[in-house]
Amino acid sequence: MCGICCSVSFSAEHFSKDLKEDLLYNLKRRGPNSGKQLVKSDVDYQCLFSGHVLHLRGILTVQPMEDERGNVFLWNGEVFSGIKVEAEENDTQIMFNKLCASENESDILSLFSEVQGPWSFIYYQASSHYLWFGRDFFGRRSLLWHFSNMGKNFCLSSVGTQTSGVANQWQEVPASGIFKIDLKSTAISGCVILKLYPWKYISEENVMEKYVNSLTQISAELPTFVSVVANEARLYLENPIVPLNMMLPEAEVEMQCKNNSSISPTRDTFKVFLTDQHMKKVVQQFIDVLSIAVKRRVLYLARDKNLAPKEVLQTSNRKANVAILFSGGIDSMVIATLADRHIPIDEPIDLLNVAFMTKEKNKPTSFQEERSKTKYLCEVLSEGVSNNDDSSYNVPDRITGRAGLKELQTVNPSRIWNFIEINVSLEELQKLRRTQICHLVQPLGTVLDDSIGCAVWFASRGIGWLVTQDDVKSYQSSAKVILTGIGADEQLAGYSRHRIRFQTLGLEGLNKEIAMELGRISSRNLGRDDRVIGDHGKEARFPFLDENVVSFLNALPIWEKANLTLPRGIGEKLLLRLAAVELGLTASAVLPKRAMQFGSRIAKMEKNNEKASDKCGRLHIS
């Protein structure tokens, strides 16, 4: 993971040898292991490249990279599949070698079509004066652009900055494909023309018109001297996932989904589903593909291979290489269980559980009442509440987190599970939002972005209390890789709006909602989360958004993924719940969806009368 930036000037009076101090500071936080700047000048323009590397695999490769022909490459990505990268190799070097060997545009597009994994990049092609850049299909890595001085300057960067009293000018580069700018012609014309090479399904028609039309609104928000156009050759990137299966069931299948409201959310209920051999096979296939995705994300990092056998056994002093954003909910529980399969047994796993101080004394029964039918679940959760804690941090996610820890300890008692209680006061929240977090959440700016951005920032920072049976001590997670469950709700109908859409428009409406969710995840979630987690010199990894996992889920008919005629705690994310039961999980398999901003109680700390979609003034520097 890296902080990458390219500042381009078309006027000699704006040429510079350094980035602005605040932007450089934010980039350095993303890449603490190496930093370098490189200037490439032409008669008509100057490019200032800045690269800051978080070293995770292979040999530490300093960025920006430059070859003998003057080509320059900045890469913020991970090649998990598609392109062969040996364990001891660095994917930045592999990608740059292949780019430099590309003879034409088609070769470049073929290369990025093959890569499986998250990425954003900037590539300067010296001989043609082209600047290529873009994000992966899901937008799992942040990239922003900023145009200024009537076309005399523009900047591409992993993260932006805010200036007091100045409207934010940074925008997220759309994850619509790869863009190319002809720097020479831009310098002459004074107009910035962004040529788009969009993602396309092989069978899809009119893709160029669709994407250019979708960028009309973005173009309207850009300065008048910036335009987005289709590339003349009508070239495209091959979509890395299969299209969503929009099939609707036959009448008798739909009838089987009726009159299910009386079913109780218990583990035995899921056992009945698993007596269907077809469903059991689908569940196992899902477990297999998700397990491979988790494996790739926990093994692609450097580990200490020089420990003597006696040292290996002394696990109490070992540091975790992998952490999980952990609420004890179904998404994080399944990820933790699968990570346990692949991470060396002598290596701890950090479970990062964040809670924001509540003024009123927490009442665990208040969130259990909504599932009063589930007596078994209530008993498990109440057992997880410690008697000697500050009750102001006993928020719902803390209680389910502790219960989830007990389940994981039962699944594998040999593993050291570091449950990190991260407690955030109102004073600390307001101070760090103002000094740091607001720069990262921007250019997004709603109340929801504020709540989730702050919660994820504090959780991924990993500073809290390590709570064991015998002791409580301060702890800071050293894990460079953080796994998160984002993508499960979007694909498996986990949100309440999915249930509302199903109730009003049926399965056809639900299919369209899921397609829309996946289509907007780059602009709604992932750039923000990458900026927030990356600010700690850590890398976010998203197993549910692995290309093979998404393709597997996209290929299934909707009724094999969710059944929203069933009650909460069963119907939403049904496939994932069945997988959890097969993996040996218990109470967590029937936990209803609870959004992070409510489970961590950050949404209750300040103004309670706000809507999630409202603009959040707290994110702006006045």
Side-chain angles (χ1 to χ4, degrees):
M1 202 276 296
C2 306
I4 63 175
C5 180
C6 176
S7 178
V8 181
S9 299
F10 298 104
S11 170
E13 64 187 276
H14 294 105
F15 286 4
S16 174
K17 292 185 178 180
D18 295 294
L19 293 176
K20 291 183 178 179
E21 188 175 340
D22 53 353
L23 180 57
L24 189 59
Y25 171 78
N26 287 342
L27 289 164
K28 284 180 176 178
R29 287 180 63 89
R30 293 178 61 86
N33 297 128
S34 80
K36 177 185 169 185
Q37 294 198 160
L38 173 67
V39 175
K40 298 295 292 184
S41 295
D42 182 80
V43 175
D44 299 305
Y45 63 84
Q46 175 192 273
C47 296
L48 170 59
F49 299 94
S50 187
H52 304 271
V53 177
L54 173 69
H55 180 225
L56 290 170
R57 62 196 288 192
I59 299 169
L60 175 60
T61 304
V62 177
Q63 296 192 44
M65 299 191 72
E66 183 180 15
D67 72 357
E68 67 281 356
R69 290 178 292 175
N71 298 318
V72 179
F73 185 50
L74 289 165
W75 171 251
N76 177 26
E78 295 288 350
V79 178
F80 289 131
S81 186
I83 303 291
K84 188 173 183 180
V85 181
E86 300 294 346
E88 68 280 2
E89 292 181 318
N90 183 276
D91 59 348
T92 307
Q93 185 68 64
I94 298 293
M95 289 296 296
F96 189 37
N97 291 346
K98 289 183 177 292
L99 273 175
C100 293
S102 298
E103 297 181 357
N104 50 47
E105 294 178 336
S106 295
D107 290 345
I108 292 175
L109 299 177
S110 294
L111 173 63
F112 284 101
S113 296
E114 292 172 11
V115 176
Q116 291 194 12
W119 51 264
S120 63
F121 80 98
I122 302 168
Y123 174 53
Y124 172 66
Q125 205 171 10
S127 61
S128 55
H129 305 280
Y130 291 159
L131 192 70
W132 298 80
F133 60 93
R135 301 164 68 194
D136 72 78
F137 179 77
F138 299 114
R140 289 165 290 186
R141 291 290 174 260
S142 171
L143 193 63
L144 309 177
W145 54 27
H146 177 203
F147 302 91
S148 59
N149 293 330
M150 294 302 292
K152 294 179 180 178
N153 295 80
F154 75 88
C155 189
L156 300 166
S157 180
S158 298
V159 62
T161 59
Q162 276 198 71
T163 303
S164 178
V166 177
N168 185 59
Q169 297 298 312
W170 293 95
Q171 292 176 290
E172 289 189 326
V173 174
S176 304
I178 288 176
F179 295 88
K180 183 185 77 174
I181 296 178
D182 185 327
L183 299 176
K184 202 76 169 173
S185 66
T186 298
I188 295 169
S189 68
C191 297
V192 180
I193 299 175
L194 307 171
K195 292 191 177 179
L196 174 64
Y197 299 79
W199 297 104
K200 176 184 183 296
Y201 291 115
I202 296 300
S203 58
E204 197 173 17
E205 296 181 4
N206 300 322
V207 65
M208 200 64 67
E209 288 75 9
K210 182 186 78 170
Y211 274 110
V212 171
N213 289 338
S214 74
L215 290 174
T216 300
Q217 183 179 352
I218 296 171
S219 298
E221 295 172 358
L222 291 170
T224 55
F225 53 83
V226 182
S227 59
V228 182
V229 301
N231 72 86
E232 302 92 333
R234 302 276 165 163
L235 298 173
Y236 59 86
L237 295 146
E238 187 175 335
N239 205 316
I241 59 170
V242 303
L244 181 66
N245 184 344
M246 304 292 281
M247 183 191 305
L248 298 176
E250 298 174 0
E252 57 264 29
V253 176
E254 193 151 21
M255 286 302 296
Q256 293 172 13
C257 296
K258 302 298 180 183
N259 303 318
N260 288 322
S261 58
S262 61
I263 296 177
S264 298
T266 66
R267 197 165 183 269
D268 289 339
T269 300
F270 294 121
K271 291 287 189 182
V272 174
F273 280 98
L274 290 167
T275 59
D276 181 283
Q277 290 304 304
H278 172 72
M279 197 66 207
K280 189 177 180 70
K281 181 181 177 182
V282 171
V283 170
Q284 190 55 57
Q285 289 172 335
F286 178 46
I287 291 173
D288 290 344
V289 72
L290 186 59
S291 180
I292 292 171
V294 171
K295 179 180 180 180
R296 287 173 175 158
R297 283 156 181 78
V298 301
L299 294 186
Y300 276 83
L301 64 160
R303 284 184 164 86
D304 191 345
K305 300 177 182 178
N306 300 317
L307 290 175
K310 289 184 179 179
E311 292 178 294
V312 171
L313 297 176
Q314 297 173 356
T315 56
S316 60
N317 296 322
R318 293 295 302 276
K319 292 184 177 180
N321 288 304
V322 175
I324 300 168
L325 294 185
F326 189 77
S327 66
I330 184 71
D331 308 344
S332 58
M333 284 294 291
V334 168
I335 287 176
T337 306
L338 294 175
D340 177 55
R341 285 184 172 186
H342 305 296
I343 294 174
I345 190 60
D346 58 297
E347 185 179 303
I349 296 176
D350 285 350
L351 307 175
L352 308 177
N353 183 272
V354 67
F356 292 82
M357 181 182 287
T358 55
K359 294 178 182 178
E360 58 193 72
K361 188 172 181 180
N362 181 268
K363 298 176 182 178
T365 54
S366 65
F367 78 94
Q368 292 167 351
E369 285 171 0
E370 70 179 26
R371 27 183 122 74
S372 57
K373 297 179 182 178
T374 320
K375 182 181 178 184
Y376 167 65
L377 174 61
C378 295
E379 291 172 350
V380 171
L381 294 181
S382 62
E383 287 174 6
V385 181
S386 172
N387 293 323
N388 58 6
D389 288 310
D390 179 350
S391 62
S392 59
Y393 290 109
N394 276 342
V395 302
D397 278 2
R398 177 61 45 81
I399 298 168
T400 53
R402 289 174 181 150
L405 172 64
K406 286 182 175 252
E407 282 196 47
L408 294 174
Q409 289 170 332
T410 301
V411 169
N412 187 355
S414 299
R415 169 79 62 191
I416 292 181
W417 300 96
N418 289 331
F419 185 72
I420 317 304
E421 298 192 356
I422 298 163
N423 300 329
V424 186
S425 67
L426 178 60
E427 181 183 12
E428 187 178 23
L429 168 65
Q430 291 177 337
K431 176 185 176 181
L432 286 165
R433 176 201 281 127
R434 183 176 62 253
T435 58
Q436 192 63 24
I437 302 171
C438 66
H439 298 287
L440 307 167
V441 174
Q442 292 283 352
L444 303 188
T446 67
V447 169
L448 182 64
D449 292 315
D450 172 51
S451 295
I452 295 179
C454 290
V456 172
W457 190 89
F458 280 104
S460 55
R461 184 175 67 162
I463 297 176
W465 300 94
L466 176 57
V467 181
T468 63
Q469 279 188 325
D470 310 315
D471 194 17
V472 177
K473 61 182 180 181
S474 61
Y475 185 90
Q476 180 166 4
S477 174
S478 61
K480 288 184 176 181
V481 167
I482 297 182
L483 302 181
T484 166
I486 193 167
D489 289 306
E490 287 79 2
Q491 298 179 80
L492 297 169
Y495 293 120
S496 57
R497 57 181 174 267
H498 288 120
R499 195 171 285 272
I500 294 169
R501 181 57 61 95
F502 170 71
Q503 289 168 350
T504 55
L505 296 173
L507 289 177
E508 184 176 3
L510 179 58
N511 271 331
K512 290 180 179 178
E513 184 76 11
I514 288 174
M516 183 268 290
E517 292 276 8
L518 208 54
R520 72 180 184 181
I521 198 169
S522 63
S523 59
R524 190 178 176 90
N525 304 89
L526 293 173
R528 177 199 64 212
D529 289 357
D530 176 67
R531 291 189 294 277
V532 166
I533 294 174
D535 189 57
H536 301 297
K538 304 186 180 205
E539 178 170 283
R541 294 184 176 178
F542 313 98
F544 286 108
L545 292 173
D546 177 90
E547 287 83 353
N548 291 335
V549 172
V550 177
S551 286
F552 174 80
L553 292 175
N554 273 3
L556 294 177
I558 183 60
W559 62 87
E560 292 184 358
K561 295 182 282 191
N563 183 345
L564 299 188
T565 65
L566 295 169
R568 289 184 70 232
I570 301 181
E572 77 279 13
K573 298 191 283 193
L574 175 61
L575 180 61
L576 185 61
R577 297 180 188 282
L578 294 173
V581 171
E582 285 286 83
L583 290 169
L585 300 177
T586 52
S588 59
V590 295
L591 278 176
K593 164 69 180 176
R594 187 173 54 237
M596 187 179 196
Q597 65 270 28
F598 301 120
S600 68
R601 283 295 187 259
I602 187 174
K604 298 290 185 181
M605 287 192 78
E606 294 169 288
K607 297 180 179 178
N608 292 334
N609 60 343
E610 296 174 312
K611 294 180 180 179
S613 58
D614 288 347
K615 283 292 181 182
C616 183
R618 296 182 295 275
L619 288 171
H620 296 278
I621 298 176
S622 58

